[in-house]
């Protein structure tokens, strides 16, 4: 009797862990993606919970992270996504000592990290809300020499292709003589655990009338904008301009604003360059400007377009001409190119390119918000939130 050969079932391509990981890496970077994938089976859960997979997932979606929400001045989190991607406010809560009464001043968010200044301790805190990691850093000696004379600002970021380490740029304007003030910057690297050498540049001075009050030039208390290879902050006071820190050349420079516009907010222009949202001094219309380099290496300001926010937000006729009922621009999500506005109907986010907007929630108060954009990779801890 001829024995029959039993065929083994053909192996499925999904039996290969490497191939399956490549497929899972292409899931959308929404908070619910990896938790849902981990529910399929123990094998999928093991793969998406691996730290190496998490790093690859964050790198792949680095350029298109979702806007998870906003942190306010008290570091309270307000989510913006709908279920099942909505992160509950309590999930991103900074754990502090019970007897900790020090004031924590948020300076901005970027690449899934929150930068916080603690004046009483002369420290900077880099906090990862997803992993709850906290890194306390003493401010650089050059900055600590005059903490009471200048406001400290800064920015945090991760270098391209590196999700394990971060860098912090601390900036300030200093000098008792208003005519000879300077800007100072120092860079901290988590890879070395050290601050680099201080970098400074003189700040322009605008002559004022003898009886006028002279206000020193300061680095404005607003989030930095990362455009190209440079970080940018608004300067306010005696001189209104932009402080630019070139991350590649490690150099500070001052950029003048176009004279025909009052700058309201620095933004990232189409193509990734530096832009600004301003109000025309002649007709009070909202305008988008951008810098464009020419063949001579000069980067003049060019008017991109004019935006009628009154019409876009469809406010009542009696509110026409009042910046769409908004009294302030409260924040910018630079990777998503979204502005956060306060209006009489509540908080609104508007996309600067498509001009589509979404109402968030009503509030009678307004203050600066810091957009938290990041790729949520903590698959297991998210289960309890769904």
């Amino acid at each position: 009797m001829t024995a029959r050969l039993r065929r083994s079932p053909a192996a499925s391509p999904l039996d290969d862990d490497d191939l399956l990981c490549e497929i899972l890496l292409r899931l959308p970077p929404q908070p619910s993606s990896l938790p849902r994938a981990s529910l399929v089976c123990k094998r999928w859960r093991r793969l998406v919970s691996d730290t190496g997979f998490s790093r690859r997932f964050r790198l792949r979606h680095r350029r298109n992270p979702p806007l998870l929400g906003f942190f306010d001045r008290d570091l309270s989190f307000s989510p913006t996504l709908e279920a099942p991607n909505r992160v509950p406010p309590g999930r991103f809560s900074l754990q502090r000592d019970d007897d900790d009464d020090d004031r924590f001043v948020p300076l901005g968010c970027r690449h899934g990290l929150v930068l916080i200044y603690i004046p009483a301790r002369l420290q900077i805190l880099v906090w990862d809300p997803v992993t709850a990691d906290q890194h306390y850093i003493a401010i650089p000696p050059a900055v600590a020499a005059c903490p009471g004379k200048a406001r400290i600002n800064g920015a945090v970021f991760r270098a391209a292709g590196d999700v394990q380490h971060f860098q912090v740029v601390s900036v300030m304007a200093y000098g008792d003589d208003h005519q000879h003030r300077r800007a100072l910057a120092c860079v901290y690297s988590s890879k070395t655990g050290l601050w680099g050498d201080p970098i400074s540049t003189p700040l322009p001075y605008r002559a004022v009338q003898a009886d006028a009050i002279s206000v020193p030039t300061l680095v404005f208390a607003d989030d930095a904008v990362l455009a190209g290879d440079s970080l940018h902050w608004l300067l306010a006071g005696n001189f209104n301009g932009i402080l630019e820190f070139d991350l590649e050349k490690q150099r500070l420079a001052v950029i003048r604003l176009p004279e025909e516009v009052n700058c309201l907010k620095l933004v990232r222009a189409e193509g990734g360059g530096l832009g600004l949202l301003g109000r025309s001094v002649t007709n009070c219309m909202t305008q988008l400007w951008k810098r464009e380099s020419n063949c001579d290496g000069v980067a003049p300001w060019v008017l991109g377009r004019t935006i009628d926010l009154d019409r876009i937000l469809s406010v009542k006729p009696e509110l026409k001409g009042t910046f769409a009922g908004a009294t302030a621009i409260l924040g910018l999500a630079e990777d998503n190119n979204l502005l956060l506005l306060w209006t009489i109907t509540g908080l609104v986010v508007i996309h600067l390119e498509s001009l589509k907007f979404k109402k968030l929630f009503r509030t009678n108060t307004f203050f600066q918000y810091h957009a938290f954009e990041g790729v949520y990779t903590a698959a297991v801890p998210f289960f309890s939130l769904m």
Side-chain angles (χ1 to χ4, degrees):
M1 185 175 180
T2 305
R4 292 184 179 180
L5 295 178
R6 182 177 296 176
R7 290 186 179 182
S8 59
S12 168
L14 295 184
D15 291 336
D16 186 331
D17 281 0
D18 292 337
L19 180 58
L20 180 57
C21 281
E22 290 299 322
I23 295 173
L24 294 174
L25 284 173
R26 286 157 174 78
L27 290 171
Q30 299 296 330
S32 66
S33 292
L34 296 187
R36 285 183 163 186
S38 65
L39 289 173
V40 172
C41 61
K42 291 182 178 179
R43 176 168 167 254
W44 283 36
R45 183 171 184 171
R46 171 178 57 82
L47 292 176
V48 301
S49 300
D50 181 72
T51 55
F53 176 87
S54 297
R55 286 196 296 269
R56 294 177 62 195
F57 192 79
R58 282 182 289 175
L59 280 174
R60 180 175 182 84
H61 299 289
R62 174 189 173 94
R63 296 184 181 277
N64 62 328
L67 173 61
L68 301 181
F70 291 90
F71 285 98
D72 64 20
R73 62 183 177 183
D74 298 320
L75 290 171
S76 297
F77 180 72
S78 298
T80 56
L81 297 177
E82 302 296 335
N85 294 304
R86 189 177 183 85
V87 180
R91 175 63 180 88
F92 293 158
S93 178
L94 179 61
Q95 299 301 314
R96 300 167 59 176
D97 296 335
D98 294 336
D99 57 348
D100 192 351
D101 294 328
D102 291 337
R103 185 167 63 100
F104 282 43
V105 182
L107 301 180
C109 307
R110 184 173 291 103
H111 299 158
L113 300 173
V114 183
L115 185 66
I116 302 165
Y117 176 47
I118 313 174
R121 304 184 196 174
L122 297 182
Q123 286 183 329
I124 287 175
L125 167 62
V126 177
W127 171 42
D128 186 333
V130 175
T131 65
D133 289 341
Q134 299 181 27
H135 300 268
Y136 289 87
I137 309 162
I139 65 175
V143 174
C146 51
K149 298 181 181 179
R151 179 184 178 87
I152 295 175
N153 207 324
V156 63
F157 67 97
R158 300 183 195 267
D162 189 352
V163 296
Q164 293 181 287
H165 302 98
F166 62 84
Q167 296 181 59
V168 173
V169 179
S170 173
V171 296
M172 61 180 285
Y174 69 98
D176 293 329
D177 184 352
H178 293 186
Q179 297 187 40
H180 300 91
R181 287 177 67 80
R182 299 182 68 85
L184 175 71
C186 291
V187 182
Y188 174 86
S189 170
S190 68
K191 188 177 296 186
T192 64
L194 299 171
W195 288 96
D197 295 332
I199 303 162
S200 68
T201 190
L203 294 173
Y205 176 76
R206 179 176 55 85
V208 297
Q209 297 178 353
D211 58 346
I213 298 176
S214 179
V215 179
T217 301
L218 298 172
V219 180
F220 192 62
D222 204 354
D223 291 358
V225 171
L226 178 61
D229 294 325
S230 298
L231 287 162
H232 304 84
W233 294 267
L234 275 175
L235 294 170
N238 175 270
F239 175 80
N240 294 321
I242 299 171
L243 182 65
E244 177 185 50
F245 183 72
D246 191 313
L247 298 171
E248 294 293 326
K249 300 177 181 178
Q250 297 283 289
R251 185 173 62 190
L252 279 172
V254 175
I255 301 172
R256 294 185 178 273
L257 296 169
E259 296 181 357
E260 58 269 45
V261 64
N262 293 323
C263 183
L264 300 173
K265 190 77 173 178
L266 294 181
V267 297
R268 188 181 287 174
E270 296 180 18
L274 178 63
L276 67 85
L277 185 73
R279 186 183 300 168
S280 170
V281 297
T282 57
N283 58 19
C284 293
M285 291 295 290
T286 307
Q287 298 175 336
L288 271 172
W289 292 73
K290 58 182 178 179
R291 295 186 80 209
E292 288 190 349
S293 300
N294 56 28
C295 57
D296 298 324
V298 181
W301 288 102
V302 177
L303 177 60
R305 53 178 167 161
T306 299
I307 305 173
D308 187 351
L309 286 177
D310 288 345
R311 179 182 59 81
I312 295 171
L313 297 180
S314 302
V315 297
K316 296 179 180 180
E318 59 267 25
L319 295 174
K320 294 279 185 185
T322 60
F323 195 53
T327 57
I329 300 176
L330 305 186
L332 169 71
E334 66 179 23
D335 286 328
N336 285 271
N337 210 13
L338 291 169
L339 275 180
L340 178 67
L341 305 177
W342 185 91
T343 75
I344 60 166
T345 61
L347 295 183
V348 175
V349 286
I350 182 169
H351 191 267
L352 284 174
E353 292 184 16
S354 67
L355 300 182
K356 294 181 179 179
F357 72 94
K358 174 185 176 182
K359 295 181 180 179
L360 299 181
F361 53 87
R362 295 186 64 89
T363 177
N364 294 325
T365 60
F366 61 89
F367 36 74
Q368 186 178 7
Y369 285 80
H370 306 277
F372 186 65
E373 302 168 287
V375 180
Y376 199 108
T377 59
V380 176
F382 197 75
F383 282 132
S384 61
L385 309 181
M386 297 178 63

